[in-house]
Amino acid sequence: MASDDTLTVAIAAARSGKLAVAEKLLRKVLDDDPGNLAAWVWYSDVTTNLPERIRALEQAIALRPDDPLLQGRIEALRREMPPKEPQQVPAYTERKTGPPTESMPFLLQQGKVLEDRGEFEAAVETYISVKTHSRSPAERVEATRRIEDIHTRLEADKIQRVHPTLNLLRLTTGPVLLFIIMVLMQSGLNPLHTPVLSMLGILSVAAGSLMISVTEMRPVHPRWVAMFGEPGAGDEAEMRKGVRLLGWALLLAPYTMFLIDAGQRLGVLQASVLGK
Amino acid sequence: MMFVPLTDTESNRYGGPPLMTLTLILFNLLVFVYKPWLWVMFPGQLYRLYGSVPQFIMQEQGGGALASLTSTFLHADIFHLGGNMLFLWVFGRRVEDACGPGRYLVFYLFCGLCADLLSTLMRLEDVVPGIGASGAIAGLLGAYLILFPGGRIRALLLLGAVPTFPRIRAFWFLIYWIGMQLASAFISVYFESDYSVNYWAHLGGFFASVFVVFFLRHESFARFLSSEPV
């Protein structure tokens, strides 16, 4: 297998969590080609030994001295290094066991929350932090995978960001359209025959639909945050429940009154055609 | 040669099983099963009362919009029901996935009413009741065409007596379908023919589908705006 193929397989193994396999393959690549920058960077990600991670990054920096990302990562790792450790760095072929790991699952979770809220840039920052600081190889690989996922979603999909207010108005409109056409049918397709109560019903449906839509917005509408705070903060959850209940009441009341009226009209026709 | 769409070959992107589509199919089946009993309750008048009669709507008699809604759940016979439910299943599943079940139901009823609106406008004095879900389902066909122009369906194609099951682009089938509806509708007006299929209702429902953007989920709307597969 050529060196490039081996590297590809090693990266795939690292992404699927097979870190020991990835490490072994990367060593083989580096034995064959010590000038392979990508292999040194990936090796620093998959190996569990902190001094060896630093050493791998030093090799990478030697190949690309001006890379600020590599500089930042090595600085972060050096800060975690006990003072005497640099003299005890073993070569990877002589390595025995890695140092105790420091897990950072809370940062991964925070990244996921940010992703759910659509704050992708902040999520990527958080995952980079996990990649740089976590001593758990599994977490570093997970962080790498998530960063790539986000890039894939944002770049490959090229999904436009829709303004929250546009979404809010859009979602409010659906039930209103249904009610308007019902009112039109009920008044013999003549808008001038529409009772005032039905006109008020349209306004009520619009208000109710708006309230329901604003409580269902994900991510939360900025105006809502300005008025009631971040989701889960203080009375926000109670307020959300209250607004949603009021919204449903305003939405359903006109529909109910409308159906009662239509039912009565149907009863009159039924009595006349059935002779009851 | 006979051509029948059987199922959409693409999978859902957002949700799980299409519960609302299945519920609508089940409800239509139940109404059909209980129809003999309804005939006994309203002897000879079931369709006049719960179907959509243009003259009643224009004279503000009867259930009006309510009758328009109930008419979408009434079917004349098993073939009428079977054909409509097959189309509802084939084209409704992924539209429900793109909208979410609640908004999908509102959209379905909205298309049914729009179908009835155009049908009423085109036969103002008619006393023949209109029944069937085809107007509402035509709205789903239009929405499918808008949202999934690259979608593919598995169809039954009978070449003589030989059945084949090709996988074809829904786009071509829907273009053919709407073309047939348009032609039939205008022929029915031009020759003043007495037709049993309400083509104007199909067209009304189909064109109401442009409003589907008001019923889409956030994600599917964003993808739609970005010209990405919904």
Side-chain angles (χ1 to χ4, degrees), chain A residues 163-239:
Chain A
H163 195 280
T165 304
L166 173 63
N167 252 335
L168 187 60
L169 293 176
R170 183 179 68 81
L171 294 175
T172 300
T173 308
V176 182
L177 283 176
L178 179 66
F179 193 75
I180 287 173
I181 200 162
M182 284 173 80
V183 168
L184 194 61
M185 298 288 283
Q186 199 72 0
S187 51
L189 308 189
N190 186 348
L192 298 176
H193 284 196
T194 308
V196 176
L197 208 56
S198 295
M199 296 284 196
L200 293 175
I202 294 172
L203 294 178
S204 177
V205 169
S209 182
L210 178 72
M211 287 179 178
I212 295 168
S213 299
V214 79
T215 58
E216 287 178 351
M217 293 283 288
R218 291 288 181 281
V220 179
H221 194 279
R223 181 73 64 188
W224 177 274
V225 175
M227 288 169 71
F228 305 114
E230 290 285 343
D235 295 335
E236 192 271 345
E238 287 298 312
M239 185 58 70

Side-chain angles (χ1 to χ4, degrees), chain A residues 156-162 166-175 177-178 181-190 193 213 216-218 255 258-259 262-263 265-266 269-271 273-274 276, chain B residues 41-43 45 48-50 52 56-58 60-69 103 106 109-110 113-114 116-117 120-121 124 211-219 221-223 225-226 228:
Chain A
D157 283 356
K158 298 184 182 70
I159 305 297
Q160 282 182 27
R161 183 177 172 276
V162 182
L166 173 63
N167 252 335
L168 187 60
L169 293 176
R170 183 179 68 81
L171 294 175
T172 300
T173 308
L177 283 176
L178 179 66
I181 200 162
M182 284 173 80
V183 168
L184 194 61
M185 298 288 283
Q186 199 72 0
S187 51
L189 308 189
N190 186 348
H193 284 196
S213 299
E216 287 178 351
M217 293 283 288
R218 291 288 181 281
Y255 275 107
F258 181 89
L259 290 177
R265 268 177 46 172
L266 192 60
L269 180 68
Q270 192 171 314
V273 298
L274 296 177
K276 289 178 182 173
Chain B
M41 274 185 72
F42 311 104
Q45 302 295 340
R48 283 189 76 197
L49 289 170
Y50 291 95
S52 172
F56 287 171
I57 289 174
M58 295 310 293
E60 298 179 44
Q61 288 183 329
L66 179 61
S68 287
L69 291 177
R103 292 199 180 91
V106 177
L109 298 176
F110 172 75
L113 285 173
C114 286
D116 214 30
L117 181 70
T120 303
L121 282 171
L124 294 171
F211 291 98
V212 72
V213 291
F214 293 111
F215 300 88
L216 293 175
R217 295 172 191 265
H218 297 288
E219 302 92 328
F221 181 64
R223 297 183 77 87
L225 276 191
S226 313
E228 291 294 315

Side-chain angles (χ1 to χ4, degrees), chain B residues 99-182:
Chain B
C99 296
R103 292 199 180 91
Y104 169 75
L105 176 64
V106 177
F107 176 65
Y108 177 86
L109 298 176
F110 172 75
C111 288
L113 285 173
C114 286
D116 214 30
L117 181 70
L118 186 60
S119 167
T120 303
L121 282 171
M122 295 309 294
R123 32 186 215 118
L124 294 171
E125 298 299 319
D126 205 338
V127 290
V128 178
I131 56 166
S134 51
I137 294 167
L140 300 183
L141 266 61
Y144 190 98
L145 188 61
I146 292 168
L147 300 175
F148 313 111
R152 289 174 185 273
I153 54 169
R154 180 78 60 196
L156 166 64
L157 180 64
L158 274 180
L159 298 170
V162 183
T164 57
F165 299 92
R167 186 166 168 263
I168 61 158
R169 280 208 184 279
F171 176 84
W172 296 114
F173 173 76
L174 292 172
I175 291 294
Y176 166 77
W177 182 87
I178 191 64
M180 291 296 289
Q181 304 304 309
L182 275 167

Side-chain angles (χ1 to χ4, degrees), chain A residues 31-43:
Chain A
D31 283 341
D32 294 345
D33 178 13
N36 192 324
L37 175 69
W40 282 118
V41 175
W42 272 99
Y43 186 72

